[in-house]
Amino acid sequence: MADVVVPPEIAAEATQILSNLVLGDNAIRSSAEKAVDDRLERTPELYVLAIAQFATSADTELMRSFSLVLLRRLLFRSAAHRISLYDQLSAPVIATLERILLHSLLHEPAPVVRHKTVDTVTDLSNYSMKRGRPWHALQSQIFAMADSTDVDTREAAFRVFAGCPNLIMDLQTDAILGILQNGLQDQESIDVRLASLRASVAFLSALDTAQQAQALSLMYPLLNTLPALPHAHLPPFLAVVTELATSNPHLFRPHIPALLAFLPALLIPVVDAGPTPTVARPNPGSGGSFAFPPPAALTRSNGAESPEDGEKEVSGEEDEVRKGALEFMTALSEARPAMLRGVDGWVTIVVRGCLEGMGELAEDDTAEWLEADPAEDATDDNYPHIYEHSLDRVACALGGGAVLPPAFAFIPAMLASHDWRLRHAGLMAIAAIAEGTSKVMQQELGKIVELVTPMFKDPHPRVRYAACQCIGQLCTDLEEVVQEKYHEQIFAALIPALEAPEPRVHAHAAAALINFCEGVERETLIPYLDSIVERLLKLLNPAASDPERQPKRYVQEQVITTLAMVADASEATFAKHYTSIMPLLLNVMQNANGPEYKKLRVKAMECAGLIAIAVGRDVFRPDSRTFVELLMRIQNSPADPNDTMLGHSLIATWAKVCQALGEEFEPYLPVVMPPLLRVASSKADISIYDDDEEHEERDGWESISMDGRQVGVKTSALEDKCQAFETLLIHASTLNARFGPYVAQVLELALPGLRFYIHEGVQEASAMLIPVLLSCGKSSGTLTHQMVAATLSQLIACTGRESDASFLGSLLKCFHDSVLVLGGPAALAPEFRAGIIEAAKRQVGALADRRRARAARPRQELIEEREDLALIQEVENYAIEDIAKTLHAMDAPPELLIAVASLGQLSLNLAEPEDGDDGGS
């Protein structure tokens, strides 16, 4: 800019420091970082302005961009012990900084740098607004820029509106709509239209329901940006509209017919029957005009004749458009299922689009697929996961009544197709929709099983693999129903599949058996047990019958896991196979020492533990010492930092040995408890970074946005902590008085665990653990009055302030069970009785307030969110029952009991709509 705001010597020094920051030499860069921190510590205002000035005067786009990014990070970064740099600046300096940035926003010639300026300007504007200091000069300049004759200037203006919609919130609605509509209809630039679309979505999302009613007309030009676009530009536009559909789905209600006129052509290419009937429909007269996959020539938009070109179109630009359209329809279906469930054509289009996409597998990668380890399968990158996942999401959102009819209008023909890819897709589709449609699917389950089981004899291995996947998923999503009614048909197909010649297929058949065993009655499994175990042992140790045959490691890992589940399901009956299997597992634990065998060793440990429980103490006892010694050796071996499974599996396996041996496990507690307590007492591992700070994705971590920061939480460590609490519960409940020496130490972990809000599993495990610990302490004579008082005080305090109705029930049950252990309500001190009554009274008031607020919402919102609200209300009803039970036990005042009973009168009538569209699964 023309005027200089910092002395030349400061500008020169800042220029040198900033230039050093981007050098590759670590020593120079580290020295420059220290220099920045030092200058900002001593003279923050001068160096903030120097960096801002450099962002407008540097010779290269790289340095101008870098300076703007650095400025953002420095301004709003705050350490735990100090305020942000922005809050240290005086009003004149902030005004100067704003003036520099406004100059850059208006005059920066390079689009990439201007985008960085926009980011910095929007952050500064939002931060200033939070501090009660609106940036009026920015508002007037942006309105002028939105009306500029320069395309890049207009785009920058709408980018600013998108980043800080508060700039226009206080203006007349008609004026705002006029500005945004002009941008949406910009004749010169698609980029301007996209920026205006983002601004429009940000504006609508910032409004409350009453304000939105005044701005509904904006939806017409907003959606009209889509049809006129070249396909290459559609995906980002669709992505922005999808954001609005997710957050404000009700805005789309009047536009569903128009969307249905536009979207199908994006999702399902037009198919001409052509001179020959499609092989996808062996019976052309019975299946409409559905064809898989669409002929390549008919999916091209540029008229090219080459089939190869057509493939590129489908897998490239056109496929991105299809995925964008599918994601929009799926997201809107999830956000407002009741709004779309009965719309004629909507569900059919989405389902058909998913099925078409699922049928587009690569024809020529079967050989590679057969040889690949499932964990390292390169062909998986080309698998149409997004279509399969979308079908699952739509089924879960819209339910069986809506999804099953259109799905099964197509699936039978797919299963009868001459193209293996369509047969594969049909089976995977049944698996994908099973969860969301389970209630309705039960009524037709016999027909579905009849469709699926013949596919186990398909000539193509990937179809047989898909049949295993389908049956396994049905066993999970329709658990017990499938196993009880159709075990004969399923075993007749699944057991022979264990002898399939392809490792991928027989390993997946073994995996499907796990799903079956998880919901099977022991009596149902027993007749098949011998033939299952015989085939699994052949897969685990093929050298016993064929010395030349070497099993694949992933097959052995899967077979060991399946044997564990079969043993668990068959219980004591499995004892007849114990001597054939346990020596093999102990041999694996003894000798599988290389890093490539770590997963196999873990599987062997867990399997041996489950078998020990299944066969019982007497059968397991002769091998128990060997097993324990192997576990101790593994536990005491040098830790491998890359082995994330071992610690988790050791804790789980020790728990299984405890369950198998019962009180005989007590001598091993000094070995087991120290690492277990170490994991249970671990703190949450959290990293905090600024929004624009680069941070790599790490396995076992999740990132959430909170107060302008990205917060990383190490979820893998939280799962380990939860497992440790659950394992402590197993040890305490199994050993009872023999666990006495550890009661005090574990109670010190369990009581704070009730308030471990970032992982509900830890909270629930703590609530179950506490009464068991009190029982252990009472039985062993280690329970003190201080422990009892601390426990009851913590439970009362947590009960009074708990806002989650589900965990409130757990807390009340924990209190009730603890009181019973201590001698019943009569043994309770008056202060604790009064405390729990007061906590329950507070919860009654909070539940009443929530229910009244819910009843005051618009009727249409209640209808559209009926299923979610019904679930919330059901959870609350359970909590109300627990409150009533607790108050009756405590002999609470009658008026409080009447208040609890009156909560039922505040519940909403959420009965099914009269049109019979259940919408459920």
Side-chain angles (χ1 to χ4, degrees):
M1 47 191 300
D3 53 337
V4 176
V5 297
V6 295
E9 63 276 12
I10 298 296
E13 184 184 37
T15 299
Q16 185 61 56
I17 293 173
L18 293 172
S19 300
N20 289 346
L21 282 173
V22 298
L23 293 179
D25 188 296
N26 288 335
I28 296 176
R29 190 169 64 249
S30 178
S31 175
E33 290 170 355
K34 292 178 182 176
V36 169
D37 290 338
D38 175 68
R39 303 306 189 275
L40 291 175
E41 183 72 31
R42 290 191 286 112
T43 52
E45 295 187 335
L46 201 55
Y47 275 88
V48 163
L49 294 181
I51 295 170
Q53 182 173 290
F54 187 67
T56 65
S57 61
D59 294 333
T60 66
E61 295 177 13
L62 172 65
M63 290 309 299
R64 296 199 300 278
S65 294
F66 173 73
S67 301
L68 288 162
V69 171
L70 180 64
L71 185 62
R72 285 177 67 204
R73 293 179 62 179
L74 294 175
L75 278 174
F76 310 118
R77 179 184 66 184
S78 59
H81 61 281
R82 56 183 297 177
I83 62 175
S84 70
L85 182 58
Y86 173 89
D87 291 314
Q88 300 176 47
L89 303 179
S90 64
V93 168
I94 291 176
T96 303
L97 175 63
E98 291 174 344
R99 182 165 52 83
I100 294 172
L101 290 173
L102 288 177
H103 182 276
S104 174
L105 189 63
L106 188 60
H107 298 288
E108 171 57 54
V112 65
V113 181
R114 188 178 290 199
H115 293 167
K116 301 296 183 190
T117 304
V118 167
D119 293 339
T120 307
V121 163
T122 54
D123 278 5
L124 184 58
S125 175
N126 291 329
Y127 209 82
S128 298
M129 184 66 72
K130 288 178 184 178
R131 298 297 189 272
R133 188 184 182 281
W135 189 354
H136 297 297
L138 173 64
Q139 187 182 54
S140 58
Q141 177 168 313
I142 294 304
F143 278 109
M145 289 173 64
D147 201 34
S148 170
T149 57
D150 179 67
V151 165
D152 293 335
T153 302
R154 295 200 301 276
E155 185 205 5
F158 287 111
R159 280 177 171 265
V160 173
F161 284 142
C164 42
N166 56 64
L167 286 174
I168 52 178
M169 298 299 291
D170 59 345
L171 301 180
Q172 288 291 326
T173 301
D174 289 344
I176 302 170
L177 298 185
I179 293 167
L180 294 173
Q181 182 169 337
N182 287 340
L184 292 168
Q185 296 172 343
D186 195 289
Q187 298 298 308
E188 291 184 65
S189 170
I190 289 176
D191 289 337
V192 172
R193 276 180 262 165
L194 180 58
S196 182
L197 180 66
R198 291 195 174 105
S200 300
V201 167
F203 170 66
L204 289 169
S205 299
L207 300 176
D208 60 32
T209 305
Q211 292 170 323
Q212 283 179 345
Q214 307 300 315
L216 291 178
S217 62
L218 183 61
M219 289 296 294
Y220 291 93
L222 185 153
L223 292 174
N224 281 336
T225 59
L226 301 175
L229 286 170
H231 273 201
H233 294 279
L234 267 171
F237 279 76
L238 287 167
V240 176
V241 175
T242 300
E243 292 176 19
L244 185 63
T246 302
S247 61
N248 291 274
H250 59 281
L251 296 175
F252 292 83
R253 179 186 296 278
H255 306 280
I256 300 300
L259 289 167
L260 271 176
F262 168 66
L263 292 170
L266 305 182
L267 193 54
I268 304 174
V270 178
V271 176
D272 184 354
T276 58
T278 173
V279 295
R281 226 166 18 95
N283 304 304
S286 63
S289 59
F290 196 54
F292 286 99
L298 297 170
T299 63
R300 294 193 298 271
S301 61
N302 59 1
E305 297 179 3
S306 164
E308 290 79 6
D309 289 346
E311 286 296 322
K312 290 177 183 175
E313 286 287 327
V314 170
S315 63
E317 177 183 302
E318 290 300 318
D319 195 45
E320 290 305 307
V321 174
R322 290 170 64 191
K323 290 175 181 176
L326 178 61
E327 178 58 26
F328 169 76
M329 297 186 77
T330 303
L332 190 57
S333 300
E334 289 178 316
R336 274 293 185 277
M339 182 175 80
L340 296 163
R341 198 175 282 123
V343 174
D344 187 35
W346 182 273
V347 184
T348 301
I349 291 299
V350 180
V351 168
R352 182 175 167 180
C354 292
L355 294 176
E356 292 230 16
M358 289 173 66
E360 294 172 4
L361 287 166
E363 175 70 62
D364 57 357
D365 64 1
T366 296
E368 183 182 358
W369 178 86
L370 284 170
E371 288 301 314
D373 183 322
E376 302 170 356
D377 185 1
T379 68
D380 191 59
D381 295 339
N382 300 321
Y383 187 82
H385 290 287
I386 189 168
Y387 297 101
E388 188 176 311
H389 182 51
S390 294
L391 186 60
D392 174 34
R393 291 165 58 195
V394 167
C396 289
L398 300 178
V403 172
L404 277 182
F408 277 90
F410 303 127
I411 287 173
M414 297 171 72
L415 296 180
S417 171
H418 298 300
D419 188 337
W420 72 265
R421 295 174 296 177
L422 306 186
R423 302 196 300 274
H424 178 280
L427 291 165
M428 298 300 282
I430 296 173
I433 63 177
E435 179 187 3
T437 67
S438 58
K439 291 181 183 177
V440 181
M441 186 181 278
Q442 285 185 29
Q443 302 163 21
E444 304 292 337
L445 192 52
K447 295 177 183 177
I448 293 172
V449 171
E450 287 178 9
L451 276 175
V452 174
T453 49
M455 309 306 289
F456 279 85
K457 297 180 181 178
D458 195 277
H460 201 285
R462 295 193 70 171
V463 177
R464 283 181 273 122
Y465 177 95
C468 295
Q469 173 70 21
C470 184
I471 286 296
Q473 199 64 50
L474 289 174
C475 289
T476 296
D477 294 328
L478 289 91
E479 187 172 305
E480 298 182 3
V481 179
V482 172
Q483 289 90 328
E484 179 185 346
K485 294 184 177 180
Y486 303 103
H487 58 85
E488 189 174 341
Q489 298 95 310
I490 290 173
F491 274 135
L494 201 52
I495 292 175
L498 293 171
E499 299 180 303
E502 305 90 357
R504 290 293 296 267
V505 177
H506 58 235
H508 211 53
L513 272 174
I514 292 178
N515 300 63
F516 188 94
C517 289
E518 285 177 339
V520 72
E521 293 293 330
R522 175 177 170 273
E523 292 73 20
T524 302
L525 180 62
I526 297 308
Y528 307 98
L529 183 62
D530 291 349
S531 56
I532 291 173
V533 173
E534 176 189 343
R535 286 164 175 79
L536 289 173
L537 283 175
K538 284 183 181 179
L539 295 177
L540 181 61
N541 189 27
S545 57
D546 182 2
E548 299 296 321
R549 187 176 168 196
Q550 292 297 318
K552 289 186 179 290
R553 194 180 310 120
Y554 73 81
V555 175
Q556 291 181 305
E557 293 165 356
Q558 182 59 66
V559 167
I560 288 175
T561 306
T562 304
L563 280 168
M565 290 306 301
V566 172
D568 188 48
S570 58
E571 300 174 355
T573 312
F574 197 80
K576 62 192 289 189
H577 300 288
Y578 178 86
T579 55
S580 301
I581 296 171
M582 186 59 82
L584 292 174
L585 299 175
L586 295 176
N587 182 56
V588 171
M589 292 174 61
Q590 175 77 40
N591 299 309
N593 297 318
E596 69 274 19
Y597 292 108
K598 61 186 180 183
K599 186 175 180 181
L600 185 65
R601 182 175 61 174
V602 161
K603 296 287 187 183
M605 284 165 40
E606 295 176 342
C607 180
L610 276 172
I611 289 175
I613 295 173
V615 301
R617 185 188 321 182
D618 293 336
V619 176
F620 173 57
R621 188 180 286 115
D623 292 309
S624 62
R625 178 172 293 278
T626 302
F627 188 23
V628 166
E629 287 174 353
L630 286 170
L631 286 177
M632 291 171 62
R633 193 193 78 177
I634 293 169
Q635 179 169 297
N636 294 328
S637 61
D640 178 359
N642 297 318
D643 190 348
T644 57
M645 299 182 291
L646 183 58
H648 182 92
S649 298
L650 274 169
I651 289 174
T653 305
W654 280 123
K656 293 178 178 69
V657 177
C658 178
Q659 289 171 286
L661 293 179
E663 295 175 350
E664 295 177 20
F665 186 77
E666 182 188 4
Y668 305 118
L669 282 177
V671 175
V672 173
M673 289 300 291
L676 182 58
L677 291 170
R678 191 161 51 247
V679 176
S681 61
S682 62
K683 306 297 183 185
D685 199 347
I686 295 175
S687 295
I688 301 176
Y689 358 79
D690 295 329
D691 255 352
D692 61 328
E693 184 177 341
E694 294 291 332
H695 57 278
E696 60 182 79
E697 294 294 328
R698 291 181 282 180
D699 288 341
W701 286 70
E702 286 185 7
S703 183
I704 58 174
S705 182
M706 185 183 299
D707 294 333
R709 305 272 184 83
Q710 287 295 314
V711 179
V713 181
K714 191 174 183 181
T715 51
S716 58
L718 296 182
E719 293 301 329
D720 290 342
K721 185 181 180 77
C722 181
Q723 183 209 23
F725 272 82
E726 292 168 349
T727 304
L728 288 168
L729 176 60
I730 291 172
H731 290 317
S733 58
T734 303
L735 297 169
N736 202 355
R738 286 173 167 79
F739 196 74
Y742 299 96
V743 166
Q745 195 173 358
V746 176
L747 194 59
E748 288 180 2
L749 297 174
L751 292 178
L754 296 172
R755 295 180 284 107
F756 197 75
Y757 300 116
I758 59 176
H759 197 287
E760 62 184 25
V762 173
Q763 292 181 283
E764 293 287 354
S766 298
M768 290 187 285
L769 178 58
I770 287 168
V772 177
L773 291 173
L774 296 179
S775 178
C776 294
K778 186 176 181 181
S779 301
S780 62
T782 57
L783 189 64
T784 66
H785 291 298
Q786 290 86 348
M787 290 183 194
V788 172
T791 299
L792 295 177
S793 297
Q794 177 77 308
L795 285 171
I796 291 168
C798 291
T799 299
R801 59 174 174 258
E802 182 55 54
S803 59
D804 179 357
S806 176
F807 188 56
L808 173 62
S810 300
L811 285 169
L812 290 166
K813 185 179 186 308
C814 177
F815 184 86
H816 180 264
D817 292 348
S818 298
V819 170
L820 291 180
V821 169
L822 297 171
L828 205 61
E831 64 269 24
F832 295 127
R833 176 184 172 275
I836 194 64
I837 291 174
E838 180 59 33
K841 181 179 178 180
R842 197 175 311 145
Q843 287 293 347
V844 171
L847 283 164
D849 291 342
R850 286 204 290 271
R851 292 193 159 192
R852 291 191 189 99
R854 209 175 290 144
R857 293 175 58 186
R859 180 65 183 166
Q860 188 59 47
E861 285 186 20
L862 298 178
I863 292 172
E864 291 176 352
E865 297 179 25
R866 174 173 53 83
E867 293 166 16
D868 291 339
L869 293 174
L871 181 60
I872 292 171
Q873 199 160 270
E874 182 181 5
V875 172
E876 288 179 351
N877 288 340
Y878 285 126
I880 291 168
E881 290 177 12
D882 290 323
I883 291 173
K885 182 178 178 181
T886 301
L887 290 175
H888 277 292
M890 295 296 112
D891 195 21
E895 59 270 21
L896 185 52
L897 296 175
I898 293 171
V900 176
S902 68
L903 288 173
Q905 300 171 8
L906 296 176
S907 61
L908 296 172
N909 179 14
L910 297 170
E912 302 284 352
E914 293 181 2
D915 62 5
D917 181 7
D918 64 358
S921 56

